[in-house]
Amino acid sequence: MVGVDEFAQRKGRIYGTVLVDVETRRPIDLPLDREADTLAAWLAERPGIENACRDRAPFFAEGATRGAPQAIQIADRWHLWHNLGEAAEKYVCRHRDCLRPAPRLPDEPSEEAELAASSPSPTGHQFAERTRAKHATIHALLKAGHSKRSVARQLGMTLNTILRFSQATAPEELLTGQWQSRATGLDAYKPNLDQRWRRAVPTPGSCGRRSDSRAPRTAMATSAST
């Protein structure tokens, strides 16, 4: 099994590819670029490779597919956990209105907290800060004369992501909808859940059982009334 990842010769400018023997955890080769053609040629010279462990960069996917079509491509563990963490963070931020606020001390000022809660793109959230940093980096590279494809290669992002960031004049445009409440299947049960939560703090499992238990009765009552 071969592991494929990138390394920086000059961060933000020049990147290469590091190829690792996953079983021994030792580097095998260090091609000086991260192009799909380079990886495909390297793999084609080694037809015995059965598995390729890589990140989700499109040029690595293309190179592995062309150079080792017989190999099974595997997403590496670090990127799986990283992507899961980002997805969970976005989900929690999107539903932050469901969280109960911490008790406020009598002499604690509330004006700043109210302004932060009403802001469509509040500061202090890691996802928002990362989005602002990516927006600034992408626009700085584009302003320096780099093409969108070059920026995508340098930052290890897809071209669609670079296009989306480049079209946004301000990072707040990319945060629209991430911090605002959206209609979900849970909306019909929120009043009941809030009422039960105020009476006693339940476990998530008991909330789910109670919500499920009232759904059939509601449906039966509706059918009977019609």
Side-chain angles (χ1 to χ4, degrees), residues 1-4 19-26 28 42-43 48-54 71-77:
M1 179 186 293
V2 63
V4 184
L19 297 152
V20 179
D21 185 325
V22 175
E23 295 180 358
T24 63
R25 299 186 178 183
R26 292 182 176 276
I28 304 172
W42 191 94
L43 292 171
I49 293 176
E50 298 178 353
N51 300 287
C53 182
R54 60 172 182 81
I72 299 174
Q73 297 185 37
I74 305 168
D76 66 80
R77 182 170 55 185

mmCIF file with all atom_site columns, all heavy atoms in Angstrom, residues 1-4 19-26 28 42-43 48-54 71-77:
data_model
loop_
_atom_site.group_PDB
_atom_site.id
_atom_site.type_symbol
_atom_site.label_atom_id
_atom_site.label_alt_id
_atom_site.label_comp_id
_atom_site.label_asym_id
_atom_site.label_entity_id
_atom_site.label_seq_id
_atom_site.pdbx_PDB_ins_code
_atom_site.Cartn_x
_atom_site.Cartn_y
_atom_site.Cartn_z
_atom_site.occupancy
_atom_site.B_iso_or_equiv
_atom_site.pdbx_formal_charge
_atom_site.auth_seq_id
_atom_site.auth_comp_id
_atom_site.auth_asym_id
_atom_site.auth_atom_id
_atom_site.pdbx_PDB_model_num
ATOM 1   N N   . MET A 1 1  ? 0.847   -1.198 0.000   1.00 0.00 ? 1  MET A N   1
ATOM 2   C CA  . MET A 1 1  ? 0.000   0.000  0.000   1.00 0.00 ? 1  MET A CA  1
ATOM 3   C C   . MET A 1 1  ? 0.881   1.247  0.000   1.00 0.00 ? 1  MET A C   1
ATOM 4   O O   . MET A 1 1  ? 1.832   1.339  0.777   1.00 0.00 ? 1  MET A O   1
ATOM 5   C CB  . MET A 1 1  ? -0.917  0.006  1.230   1.00 0.00 ? 1  MET A CB  1
ATOM 6   C CG  . MET A 1 1  ? -1.816  1.241  1.311   1.00 0.00 ? 1  MET A CG  1
ATOM 7   S SD  . MET A 1 1  ? -2.784  1.345  2.826   1.00 0.00 ? 1  MET A SD  1
ATOM 8   C CE  . MET A 1 1  ? -3.866  -0.044 2.589   1.00 0.00 ? 1  MET A CE  1
ATOM 9   N N   . VAL A 1 2  ? 0.554   2.188  -0.867  1.00 0.00 ? 2  VAL A N   1
ATOM 10  C CA  . VAL A 1 2  ? 1.317   3.426  -0.946  1.00 0.00 ? 2  VAL A CA  1
ATOM 11  C C   . VAL A 1 2  ? 0.453   4.584  -0.448  1.00 0.00 ? 2  VAL A C   1
ATOM 12  O O   . VAL A 1 2  ? -0.742  4.662  -0.730  1.00 0.00 ? 2  VAL A O   1
ATOM 13  C CB  . VAL A 1 2  ? 1.796   3.691  -2.399  1.00 0.00 ? 2  VAL A CB  1
ATOM 14  C CG1 . VAL A 1 2  ? 0.623   3.885  -3.338  1.00 0.00 ? 2  VAL A CG1 1
ATOM 15  C CG2 . VAL A 1 2  ? 2.712   4.910  -2.443  1.00 0.00 ? 2  VAL A CG2 1
ATOM 16  N N   . GLY A 1 3  ? 1.055   5.463  0.341   1.00 0.00 ? 3  GLY A N   1
ATOM 17  C CA  . GLY A 1 3  ? 0.376   6.667  0.799   1.00 0.00 ? 3  GLY A CA  1
ATOM 18  C C   . GLY A 1 3  ? 0.810   7.859  -0.022  1.00 0.00 ? 3  GLY A C   1
ATOM 19  O O   . GLY A 1 3  ? 2.003   8.010  -0.336  1.00 0.00 ? 3  GLY A O   1
ATOM 20  N N   . VAL A 1 4  ? -0.130  8.704  -0.390  1.00 0.00 ? 4  VAL A N   1
ATOM 21  C CA  . VAL A 1 4  ? 0.146   9.856  -1.251  1.00 0.00 ? 4  VAL A CA  1
ATOM 22  C C   . VAL A 1 4  ? -0.313  11.131 -0.541  1.00 0.00 ? 4  VAL A C   1
ATOM 23  O O   . VAL A 1 4  ? -1.465  11.229 -0.112  1.00 0.00 ? 4  VAL A O   1
ATOM 24  C CB  . VAL A 1 4  ? -0.582  9.733  -2.608  1.00 0.00 ? 4  VAL A CB  1
ATOM 25  C CG1 . VAL A 1 4  ? -0.197  10.895 -3.522  1.00 0.00 ? 4  VAL A CG1 1
ATOM 26  C CG2 . VAL A 1 4  ? -0.281  8.402  -3.269  1.00 0.00 ? 4  VAL A CG2 1
ATOM 27  N N   . LEU A 1 19 ? 5.517   10.226 -1.268  1.00 0.00 ? 19 LEU A N   1
ATOM 28  C CA  . LEU A 1 19 ? 4.992   8.870  -1.421  1.00 0.00 ? 19 LEU A CA  1
ATOM 29  C C   . LEU A 1 19 ? 5.583   8.006  -0.321  1.00 0.00 ? 19 LEU A C   1
ATOM 30  O O   . LEU A 1 19 ? 6.811   7.965  -0.140  1.00 0.00 ? 19 LEU A O   1
ATOM 31  C CB  . LEU A 1 19 ? 5.351   8.316  -2.799  1.00 0.00 ? 19 LEU A CB  1
ATOM 32  C CG  . LEU A 1 19 ? 4.713   9.125  -3.947  1.00 0.00 ? 19 LEU A CG  1
ATOM 33  C CD1 . LEU A 1 19 ? 5.561   9.047  -5.192  1.00 0.00 ? 19 LEU A CD1 1
ATOM 34  C CD2 . LEU A 1 19 ? 3.314   8.636  -4.227  1.00 0.00 ? 19 LEU A CD2 1
ATOM 35  N N   . VAL A 1 20 ? 4.708   7.345  0.434   1.00 0.00 ? 20 VAL A N   1
ATOM 36  C CA  . VAL A 1 20 ? 5.112   6.635  1.642   1.00 0.00 ? 20 VAL A CA  1
ATOM 37  C C   . VAL A 1 20 ? 4.669   5.184  1.565   1.00 0.00 ? 20 VAL A C   1
ATOM 38  O O   . VAL A 1 20 ? 3.564   4.879  1.083   1.00 0.00 ? 20 VAL A O   1
ATOM 39  C CB  . VAL A 1 20 ? 4.487   7.311  2.892   1.00 0.00 ? 20 VAL A CB  1
ATOM 40  C CG1 . VAL A 1 20 ? 4.877   6.567  4.160   1.00 0.00 ? 20 VAL A CG1 1
ATOM 41  C CG2 . VAL A 1 20 ? 4.902   8.769  2.981   1.00 0.00 ? 20 VAL A CG2 1
ATOM 42  N N   . ASP A 1 21 ? 5.539   4.293  2.054   1.00 0.00 ? 21 ASP A N   1
ATOM 43  C CA  . ASP A 1 21 ? 5.159   2.896  2.244   1.00 0.00 ? 21 ASP A CA  1
ATOM 44  C C   . ASP A 1 21 ? 4.346   2.840  3.540   1.00 0.00 ? 21 ASP A C   1
ATOM 45  O O   . ASP A 1 21 ? 4.890   3.052  4.628   1.00 0.00 ? 21 ASP A O   1
ATOM 46  C CB  . ASP A 1 21 ? 6.408   2.021  2.355   1.00 0.00 ? 21 ASP A CB  1
ATOM 47  C CG  . ASP A 1 21 ? 6.065   0.537  2.428   1.00 0.00 ? 21 ASP A CG  1
ATOM 48  O OD1 . ASP A 1 21 ? 5.033   0.183  3.030   1.00 0.00 ? 21 ASP A OD1 1
ATOM 49  O OD2 . ASP A 1 21 ? 6.834   -0.286 1.895   1.00 0.00 ? 21 ASP A OD2 1
ATOM 50  N N   . VAL A 1 22 ? 3.059   2.587  3.439   1.00 0.00 ? 22 VAL A N   1
ATOM 51  C CA  . VAL A 1 22 ? 2.180   2.645  4.599   1.00 0.00 ? 22 VAL A CA  1
ATOM 52  C C   . VAL A 1 22 ? 2.552   1.594  5.641   1.00 0.00 ? 22 VAL A C   1
ATOM 53  O O   . VAL A 1 22 ? 2.414   1.819  6.846   1.00 0.00 ? 22 VAL A O   1
ATOM 54  C CB  . VAL A 1 22 ? 0.703   2.484  4.167   1.00 0.00 ? 22 VAL A CB  1
ATOM 55  C CG1 . VAL A 1 22 ? -0.222  2.429  5.374   1.00 0.00 ? 22 VAL A CG1 1
ATOM 56  C CG2 . VAL A 1 22 ? 0.298   3.627  3.246   1.00 0.00 ? 22 VAL A CG2 1
ATOM 57  N N   . GLU A 1 23 ? 3.035   0.443  5.212   1.00 0.00 ? 23 GLU A N   1
ATOM 58  C CA  . GLU A 1 23 ? 3.357   -0.633 6.146   1.00 0.00 ? 23 GLU A CA  1
ATOM 59  C C   . GLU A 1 23 ? 4.601   -0.303 6.974   1.00 0.00 ? 23 GLU A C   1
ATOM 60  O O   . GLU A 1 23 ? 4.646   -0.538 8.179   1.00 0.00 ? 23 GLU A O   1
ATOM 61  C CB  . GLU A 1 23 ? 3.550   -1.947 5.390   1.00 0.00 ? 23 GLU A CB  1
ATOM 62  C CG  . GLU A 1 23 ? 2.268   -2.432 4.705   1.00 0.00 ? 23 GLU A CG  1
ATOM 63  C CD  . GLU A 1 23 ? 2.477   -3.743 3.970   1.00 0.00 ? 23 GLU A CD  1
ATOM 64  O OE1 . GLU A 1 23 ? 3.634   -4.237 3.967   1.00 0.00 ? 23 GLU A OE1 1
ATOM 65  O OE2 . GLU A 1 23 ? 1.500   -4.259 3.404   1.00 0.00 ? 23 GLU A OE2 1
ATOM 66  N N   . THR A 1 24 ? 5.628   0.252  6.339   1.00 0.00 ? 24 THR A N   1
ATOM 67  C CA  . THR A 1 24 ? 6.855   0.588  7.073   1.00 0.00 ? 24 THR A CA  1
ATOM 68  C C   . THR A 1 24 ? 6.858   2.030  7.572   1.00 0.00 ? 24 THR A C   1
ATOM 69  O O   . THR A 1 24 ? 7.708   2.410  8.377   1.00 0.00 ? 24 THR A O   1
ATOM 70  C CB  . THR A 1 24 ? 8.083   0.379  6.177   1.00 0.00 ? 24 THR A CB  1
ATOM 71  O OG1 . THR A 1 24 ? 8.008   1.276  5.053   1.00 0.00 ? 24 THR A OG1 1
ATOM 72  C CG2 . THR A 1 24 ? 8.141   -1.053 5.672   1.00 0.00 ? 24 THR A CG2 1
ATOM 73  N N   . ARG A 1 25 ? 5.923   2.852  7.048   1.00 0.00 ? 25 ARG A N   1
ATOM 74  C CA  . ARG A 1 25 ? 5.816   4.273  7.412   1.00 0.00 ? 25 ARG A CA  1
ATOM 75  C C   . ARG A 1 25 ? 7.080   5.039  7.032   1.00 0.00 ? 25 ARG A C   1
ATOM 76  O O   . ARG A 1 25 ? 7.457   6.004  7.699   1.00 0.00 ? 25 ARG A O   1
ATOM 77  C CB  . ARG A 1 25 ? 5.518   4.428  8.900   1.00 0.00 ? 25 ARG A CB  1
ATOM 78  C CG  . ARG A 1 25 ? 4.206   3.793  9.325   1.00 0.00 ? 25 ARG A CG  1
ATOM 79  C CD  . ARG A 1 25 ? 3.873   4.092  10.766  1.00 0.00 ? 25 ARG A CD  1
ATOM 80  N NE  . ARG A 1 25 ? 2.592   3.517  11.152  1.00 0.00 ? 25 ARG A NE  1
ATOM 81  C CZ  . ARG A 1 25 ? 2.020   3.663  12.344  1.00 0.00 ? 25 ARG A CZ  1
ATOM 82  N NH1 . ARG A 1 25 ? 2.649   4.384  13.271  1.00 0.00 ? 25 ARG A NH1 1
ATOM 83  N NH2 . ARG A 1 25 ? 0.862   3.109  12.608  1.00 0.00 ? 25 ARG A NH2 1
ATOM 84  N N   . ARG A 1 26 ? 7.695   4.638  5.955   1.00 0.00 ? 26 ARG A N   1
ATOM 85  C CA  . ARG A 1 26 ? 8.898   5.318  5.473   1.00 0.00 ? 26 ARG A CA  1
ATOM 86  C C   . ARG A 1 26 ? 8.665   5.923  4.087   1.00 0.00 ? 26 ARG A C   1
ATOM 87  O O   . ARG A 1 26 ? 7.984   5.324  3.269   1.00 0.00 ? 26 ARG A O   1
ATOM 88  C CB  . ARG A 1 26 ? 10.076  4.344  5.408   1.00 0.00 ? 26 ARG A CB  1
ATOM 89  C CG  . ARG A 1 26 ? 10.553  3.863  6.774   1.00 0.00 ? 26 ARG A CG  1
ATOM 90  C CD  . ARG A 1 26 ? 11.744  2.944  6.650   1.00 0.00 ? 26 ARG A CD  1
ATOM 91  N NE  . ARG A 1 26 ? 12.255  2.547  7.957   1.00 0.00 ? 26 ARG A NE  1
ATOM 92  C CZ  . ARG A 1 26 ? 13.107  3.267  8.675   1.00 0.00 ? 26 ARG A CZ  1
ATOM 93  N NH1 . ARG A 1 26 ? 13.562  4.417  8.188   1.00 0.00 ? 26 ARG A NH1 1
ATOM 94  N NH2 . ARG A 1 26 ? 13.515  2.849  9.854   1.00 0.00 ? 26 ARG A NH2 1
ATOM 95  N N   . ILE A 1 28 ? 9.112   6.808  0.263   1.00 0.00 ? 28 ILE A N   1
ATOM 96  C CA  . ILE A 1 28 ? 9.652   6.066  -0.873  1.00 0.00 ? 28 ILE A CA  1
ATOM 97  C C   . ILE A 1 28 ? 10.254  7.017  -1.896  1.00 0.00 ? 28 ILE A C   1
ATOM 98  O O   . ILE A 1 28 ? 11.346  6.804  -2.421  1.00 0.00 ? 28 ILE A O   1
ATOM 99  C CB  . ILE A 1 28 ? 8.558   5.222  -1.558  1.00 0.00 ? 28 ILE A CB  1
ATOM 100 C CG1 . ILE A 1 28 ? 7.892   4.294  -0.554  1.00 0.00 ? 28 ILE A CG1 1
ATOM 101 C CG2 . ILE A 1 28 ? 9.127   4.431  -2.720  1.00 0.00 ? 28 ILE A CG2 1
ATOM 102 C CD1 . ILE A 1 28 ? 6.672   3.577  -1.125  1.00 0.00 ? 28 ILE A CD1 1
ATOM 103 N N   . TRP A 1 42 ? 4.399   7.672  -12.116 1.00 0.00 ? 42 TRP A N   1
ATOM 104 C CA  . TRP A 1 42 ? 5.090   6.957  -11.036 1.00 0.00 ? 42 TRP A CA  1
ATOM 105 C C   . TRP A 1 42 ? 4.373   5.651  -10.708 1.00 0.00 ? 42 TRP A C   1
ATOM 106 O O   . TRP A 1 42 ? 5.003   4.602  -10.546 1.00 0.00 ? 42 TRP A O   1
ATOM 107 C CB  . TRP A 1 42 ? 5.163   7.856  -9.806  1.00 0.00 ? 42 TRP A CB  1
ATOM 108 C CG  . TRP A 1 42 ? 6.066   7.354  -8.719  1.00 0.00 ? 42 TRP A CG  1
ATOM 109 C CD1 . TRP A 1 42 ? 7.380   7.674  -8.532  1.00 0.00 ? 42 TRP A CD1 1
ATOM 110 C CD2 . TRP A 1 42 ? 5.724   6.441  -7.670  1.00 0.00 ? 42 TRP A CD2 1
ATOM 111 N NE1 . TRP A 1 42 ? 7.883   7.025  -7.432  1.00 0.00 ? 42 TRP A NE1 1
ATOM 112 C CE2 . TRP A 1 42 ? 6.887   6.254  -6.878  1.00 0.00 ? 42 TRP A CE2 1
ATOM 113 C CE3 . TRP A 1 42 ? 4.571   5.763  -7.322  1.00 0.00 ? 42 TRP A CE3 1
ATOM 114 C CZ2 . TRP A 1 42 ? 6.913   5.426  -5.762  1.00 0.00 ? 42 TRP A CZ2 1
ATOM 115 C CZ3 . TRP A 1 42 ? 4.587   4.922  -6.213  1.00 0.00 ? 42 TRP A CZ3 1
ATOM 116 C CH2 . TRP A 1 42 ? 5.743   4.756  -5.451  1.00 0.00 ? 42 TRP A CH2 1
ATOM 117 N N   . LEU A 1 43 ? 3.053   5.697  -10.616 1.00 0.00 ? 43 LEU A N   1
ATOM 118 C CA  . LEU A 1 43 ? 2.282   4.497  -10.294 1.00 0.00 ? 43 LEU A CA  1
ATOM 119 C C   . LEU A 1 43 ? 2.300   3.491  -11.442 1.00 0.00 ? 43 LEU A C   1
ATOM 120 O O   . LEU A 1 43 ? 2.308   2.276  -11.208 1.00 0.00 ? 43 LEU A O   1
ATOM 121 C CB  . LEU A 1 43 ? 0.834   4.882  -9.958  1.00 0.00 ? 43 LEU A CB  1
ATOM 122 C CG  . LEU A 1 43 ? 0.629   5.678  -8.661  1.00 0.00 ? 43 LEU A CG  1
ATOM 123 C CD1 . LEU A 1 43 ? -0.802  6.170  -8.561  1.00 0.00 ? 43 LEU A CD1 1
ATOM 124 C CD2 . LEU A 1 43 ? 0.985   4.836  -7.443  1.00 0.00 ? 43 LEU A CD2 1
ATOM 125 N N   . GLY A 1 48 ? 2.311   -3.420 -9.357  1.00 0.00 ? 48 GLY A N   1
ATOM 126 C CA  . GLY A 1 48 ? 1.959   -4.304 -8.246  1.00 0.00 ? 48 GLY A CA  1
ATOM 127 C C   . GLY A 1 48 ? 1.236   -3.612 -7.110  1.00 0.00 ? 48 GLY A C   1
ATOM 128 O O   . GLY A 1 48 ? 0.793   -4.266 -6.160  1.00 0.00 ? 48 GLY A O   1
ATOM 129 N N   . ILE A 1 49 ? 1.081   -2.292 -7.171  1.00 0.00 ? 49 ILE A N   1
ATOM 130 C CA  . ILE A 1 49 ? 0.409   -1.556 -6.094  1.00 0.00 ? 49 ILE A CA  1
ATOM 131 C C   . ILE A 1 49 ? -1.081  -1.896 -6.096  1.00 0.00 ? 49 ILE A C   1
ATOM 132 O O   . ILE A 1 49 ? -1.765  -1.743 -7.103  1.00 0.00 ? 49 ILE A O   1
ATOM 133 C CB  . ILE A 1 49 ? 0.625   -0.038 -6.259  1.00 0.00 ? 49 ILE A CB  1
ATOM 134 C CG1 . ILE A 1 49 ? 2.087   0.306  -6.046  1.00 0.00 ? 49 ILE A CG1 1
ATOM 135 C CG2 . ILE A 1 49 ? -0.252  0.751  -5.290  1.00 0.00 ? 49 ILE A CG2 1
ATOM 136 C CD1 . ILE A 1 49 ? 2.432   1.759  -6.273  1.00 0.00 ? 49 ILE A CD1 1
ATOM 137 N N   . GLU A 1 50 ? -1.596  -2.336 -4.954  1.00 0.00 ? 50 GLU A N   1
ATOM 138 C CA  . GLU A 1 50 ? -2.986  -2.757 -4.847  1.00 0.00 ? 50 GLU A CA  1
ATOM 139 C C   . GLU A 1 50 ? -3.867  -1.725 -4.158  1.00 0.00 ? 50 GLU A C   1
ATOM 140 O O   . GLU A 1 50 ? -5.079  -1.704 -4.364  1.00 0.00 ? 50 GLU A O   1
ATOM 141 C CB  . GLU A 1 50 ? -3.075  -4.088 -4.081  1.00 0.00 ? 50 GLU A CB  1
ATOM 142 C CG  . GLU A 1 50 ? -2.344  -5.240 -4.771  1.00 0.00 ? 50 GLU A CG  1
ATOM 143 C CD  . GLU A 1 50 ? -2.410  -6.519 -3.954  1.00 0.00 ? 50 GLU A CD  1
ATOM 144 O OE1 . GLU A 1 50 ? -2.899  -6.454 -2.804  1.00 0.00 ? 50 GLU A OE1 1
ATOM 145 O OE2 . GLU A 1 50 ? -1.984  -7.569 -4.463  1.00 0.00 ? 50 GLU A OE2 1
ATOM 146 N N   . ASN A 1 51 ? -3.259  -0.882 -3.310  1.00 0.00 ? 51 ASN A N   1
ATOM 147 C CA  . ASN A 1 51 ? -4.021  0.124  -2.569  1.00 0.00 ? 51 ASN A CA  1
ATOM 148 C C   . ASN A 1 51 ? -3.270  1.451  -2.587  1.00 0.00 ? 51 ASN A C   1
ATOM 149 O O   . ASN A 1 51 ? -2.035  1.474  -2.459  1.00 0.00 ? 51 ASN A O   1
ATOM 150 C CB  . ASN A 1 51 ? -4.244  -0.306 -1.118  1.00 0.00 ? 51 ASN A CB  1
ATOM 151 C CG  . ASN A 1 51 ? -5.012  -1.608 -1.014  1.00 0.00 ? 51 ASN A CG  1
ATOM 152 O OD1 . ASN A 1 51 ? -6.209  -1.660 -1.264  1.00 0.00 ? 51 ASN A OD1 1
ATOM 153 N ND2 . ASN A 1 51 ? -4.325  -2.681 -0.639  1.00 0.00 ? 51 ASN A ND2 1
ATOM 154 N N   . ALA A 1 52 ? -4.031  2.537  -2.730  1.00 0.00 ? 52 ALA A N   1
ATOM 155 C CA  . ALA A 1 52 ? -3.448  3.879  -2.689  1.00 0.00 ? 52 ALA A CA  1
ATOM 156 C C   . ALA A 1 52 ? -4.219  4.695  -1.671  1.00 0.00 ? 52 ALA A C   1
ATOM 157 O O   . ALA A 1 52 ? -5.424  4.939  -1.842  1.00 0.00 ? 52 ALA A O   1
ATOM 158 C CB  . ALA A 1 52 ? -3.502  4.541  -4.062  1.00 0.00 ? 52 ALA A CB  1
ATOM 159 N N   . CYS A 1 53 ? -3.530  5.082  -0.605  1.00 0.00 ? 53 CYS A N   1
ATOM 160 C CA  . CYS A 1 53 ? -4.154  5.885  0.451   1.00 0.00 ? 53 CYS A CA  1
ATOM 161 C C   . CYS A 1 53 ? -3.809  7.343  0.195   1.00 0.00 ? 53 CYS A C   1
ATOM 162 O O   . CYS A 1 53 ? -2.639  7.713  0.141   1.00 0.00 ? 53 CYS A O   1
ATOM 163 C CB  . CYS A 1 53 ? -3.630  5.422  1.814   1.00 0.00 ? 53 CYS A CB  1
ATOM 164 S SG  . CYS A 1 53 ? -4.352  6.300  3.211   1.00 0.00 ? 53 CYS A SG  1
ATOM 165 N N   . ARG A 1 54 ? -4.814  8.199  0.040   1.00 0.00 ? 54 ARG A N   1
ATOM 166 C CA  . ARG A 1 54 ? -4.565  9.582  -0.375  1.00 0.00 ? 54 ARG A CA  1
ATOM 167 C C   . ARG A 1 54 ? -5.560  10.521 0.272   1.00 0.00 ? 54 ARG A C   1
ATOM 168 O O   . ARG A 1 54 ? -6.550  10.095 0.872   1.00 0.00 ? 54 ARG A O   1
ATOM 169 C CB  . ARG A 1 54 ? -4.694  9.701  -1.905  1.00 0.00 ? 54 ARG A CB  1
ATOM 170 C CG  . ARG A 1 54 ? -6.075  9.322  -2.410  1.00 0.00 ? 54 ARG A CG  1
ATOM 171 C CD  . ARG A 1 54 ? -6.246  9.629  -3.883  1.00 0.00 ? 54 ARG A CD  1
ATOM 172 N NE  . ARG A 1 54 ? -7.587  9.310  -4.340  1.00 0.00 ? 54 ARG A NE  1
ATOM 173 C CZ  . ARG A 1 54 ? -8.649  10.090 -4.180  1.00 0.00 ? 54 ARG A CZ  1
ATOM 174 N NH1 . ARG A 1 54 ? -8.535  11.246 -3.556  1.00 0.00 ? 54 ARG A NH1 1
ATOM 175 N NH2 . ARG A 1 54 ? -9.835  9.729  -4.648  1.00 0.00 ? 54 ARG A NH2 1
ATOM 176 N N   . ALA A 1 71 ? -5.789  -0.414 -8.510  1.00 0.00 ? 71 ALA A N   1
ATOM 177 C CA  . ALA A 1 71 ? -5.649  -0.185 -7.067  1.00 0.00 ? 71 ALA A CA  1
ATOM 178 C C   . ALA A 1 71 ? -6.942  0.359  -6.466  1.00 0.00 ? 71 ALA A C   1
ATOM 179 O O   . ALA A 1 71 ? -7.685  1.110  -7.102  1.00 0.00 ? 71 ALA A O   1
ATOM 180 C CB  . ALA A 1 71 ? -4.502  0.785  -6.803  1.00 0.00 ? 71 ALA A CB  1
ATOM 181 N N   . ILE A 1 72 ? -7.185  -0.023 -5.227  1.00 0.00 ? 72 ILE A N   1
ATOM 182 C CA  . ILE A 1 72 ? -8.305  0.530  -4.457  1.00 0.00 ? 72 ILE A CA  1
ATOM 183 C C   . ILE A 1 72 ? -7.839  1.827  -3.806  1.00 0.00 ? 72 ILE A C   1
ATOM 184 O O   . ILE A 1 72 ? -6.815  1.854  -3.122  1.00 0.00 ? 72 ILE A O   1
ATOM 185 C CB  . ILE A 1 72 ? -8.775  -0.464 -3.376  1.00 0.00 ? 72 ILE A CB  1
ATOM 186 C CG1 . ILE A 1 72 ? -9.257  -1.763 -4.022  1.00 0.00 ? 72 ILE A CG1 1
ATOM 187 C CG2 . ILE A 1 72 ? -9.873  0.146  -2.514  1.00 0.00 ? 72 ILE A CG2 1
ATOM 188 C CD1 . ILE A 1 72 ? -9.599  -2.848 -3.023  1.00 0.00 ? 72 ILE A CD1 1
ATOM 189 N N   . GLN A 1 73 ? -8.586  2.908  -4.017  1.00 0.00 ? 73 GLN A N   1
ATOM 190 C CA  . GLN A 1 73 ? -8.218  4.192  -3.446  1.00 0.00 ? 73 GLN A CA  1
ATOM 191 C C   . GLN A 1 73 ? -8.913  4.359  -2.096  1.00 0.00 ? 73 GLN A C   1
ATOM 192 O O   . GLN A 1 73 ? -10.119 4.155  -1.969  1.00 0.00 ? 73 GLN A O   1
ATOM 193 C CB  . GLN A 1 73 ? -8.605  5.326  -4.395  1.00 0.00 ? 73 GLN A CB  1
ATOM 194 C CG  . GLN A 1 73 ? -7.860  5.268  -5.714  1.00 0.00 ? 73 GLN A CG  1
ATOM 195 C CD  . GLN A 1 73 ? -8.149  6.462  -6.599  1.00 0.00 ? 73 GLN A CD  1
ATOM 196 O OE1 . GLN A 1 73 ? -8.300  7.585  -6.113  1.00 0.00 ? 73 GLN A OE1 1
ATOM 197 N NE2 . GLN A 1 73 ? -8.211  6.240  -7.900  1.00 0.00 ? 73 GLN A NE2 1
ATOM 198 N N   . ILE A 1 74 ? -8.132  4.745  -1.098  1.00 0.00 ? 74 ILE A N   1
ATOM 199 C CA  . ILE A 1 74 ? -8.619  4.833  0.280   1.00 0.00 ? 74 ILE A CA  1
ATOM 200 C C   . ILE A 1 74 ? -8.384  6.244  0.794   1.00 0.00 ? 74 ILE A C   1
ATOM 201 O O   . ILE A 1 74 ? -7.308  6.817  0.615   1.00 0.00 ? 74 ILE A O   1
ATOM 202 C CB  . ILE A 1 74 ? -7.876  3.822  1.182   1.00 0.00 ? 74 ILE A CB  1
ATOM 203 C CG1 . ILE A 1 74 ? -8.005  2.402  0.614   1.00 0.00 ? 74 ILE A CG1 1
ATOM 204 C CG2 . ILE A 1 74 ? -8.403  3.869  2.609   1.00 0.00 ? 74 ILE A CG2 1
ATOM 205 C CD1 . ILE A 1 74 ? -7.084  1.406  1.264   1.00 0.00 ? 74 ILE A CD1 1
ATOM 206 N N   . ALA A 1 75 ? -9.410  6.819  1.434   1.00 0.00 ? 75 ALA A N   1
ATOM 207 C CA  . ALA A 1 75 ? -9.258  8.127  2.065   1.00 0.00 ? 75 ALA A CA  1
ATOM 208 C C   . ALA A 1 75 ? -8.517  7.953  3.384   1.00 0.00 ? 75 ALA A C   1
ATOM 209 O O   . ALA A 1 75 ? -8.866  7.097  4.193   1.00 0.00 ? 75 ALA A O   1
ATOM 210 C CB  . ALA A 1 75 ? -10.627 8.763  2.313   1.00 0.00 ? 75 ALA A CB  1
ATOM 211 N N   . ASP A 1 76 ? -7.472  8.750  3.601   1.00 0.00 ? 76 ASP A N   1
ATOM 212 C CA  . ASP A 1 76 ? -6.676  8.553  4.808   1.00 0.00 ? 76 ASP A CA  1
ATOM 213 C C   . ASP A 1 76 ? -7.438  9.010  6.043   1.00 0.00 ? 76 ASP A C   1
ATOM 214 O O   . ASP A 1 76 ? -8.344  9.842  5.993   1.00 0.00 ? 76 ASP A O   1
ATOM 215 C CB  . ASP A 1 76 ? -5.331  9.285  4.695   1.00 0.00 ? 76 ASP A CB  1
ATOM 216 C CG  . ASP A 1 76 ? -5.493  10.793 4.658   1.00 0.00 ? 76 ASP A CG  1
ATOM 217 O OD1 . ASP A 1 76 ? -5.665  11.394 5.715   1.00 0.00 ? 76 ASP A OD1 1
ATOM 218 O OD2 . ASP A 1 76 ? -5.459  11.362 3.539   1.00 0.00 ? 76 ASP A OD2 1
ATOM 219 N N   . ARG A 1 77 ? -7.066  8.440  7.188   1.00 0.00 ? 77 ARG A N   1
ATOM 220 C CA  . ARG A 1 77 ? -7.805  8.627  8.433   1.00 0.00 ? 77 ARG A CA  1
ATOM 221 C C   . ARG A 1 77 ? -7.827  10.086 8.882   1.00 0.00 ? 77 ARG A C   1
ATOM 222 O O   . ARG A 1 77 ? -8.850  10.588 9.345   1.00 0.00 ? 77 ARG A O   1
ATOM 223 C CB  . ARG A 1 77 ? -7.192  7.738  9.529   1.00 0.00 ? 77 ARG A CB  1
ATOM 224 C CG  . ARG A 1 77 ? -7.925  7.827  10.857  1.00 0.00 ? 77 ARG A CG  1
ATOM 225 C CD  . ARG A 1 77 ? -7.428  6.752  11.811  1.00 0.00 ? 77 ARG A CD  1
ATOM 226 N NE  . ARG A 1 77 ? -5.971  6.827  11.968  1.00 0.00 ? 77 ARG A NE  1
ATOM 227 C CZ  . ARG A 1 77 ? -5.260  5.949  12.672  1.00 0.00 ? 77 ARG A CZ  1
ATOM 228 N NH1 . ARG A 1 77 ? -5.866  4.914  13.233  1.00 0.00 ? 77 ARG A NH1 1
ATOM 229 N NH2 . ARG A 1 77 ? -3.952  6.083  12.781  1.00 0.00 ? 77 ARG A NH2 1
#
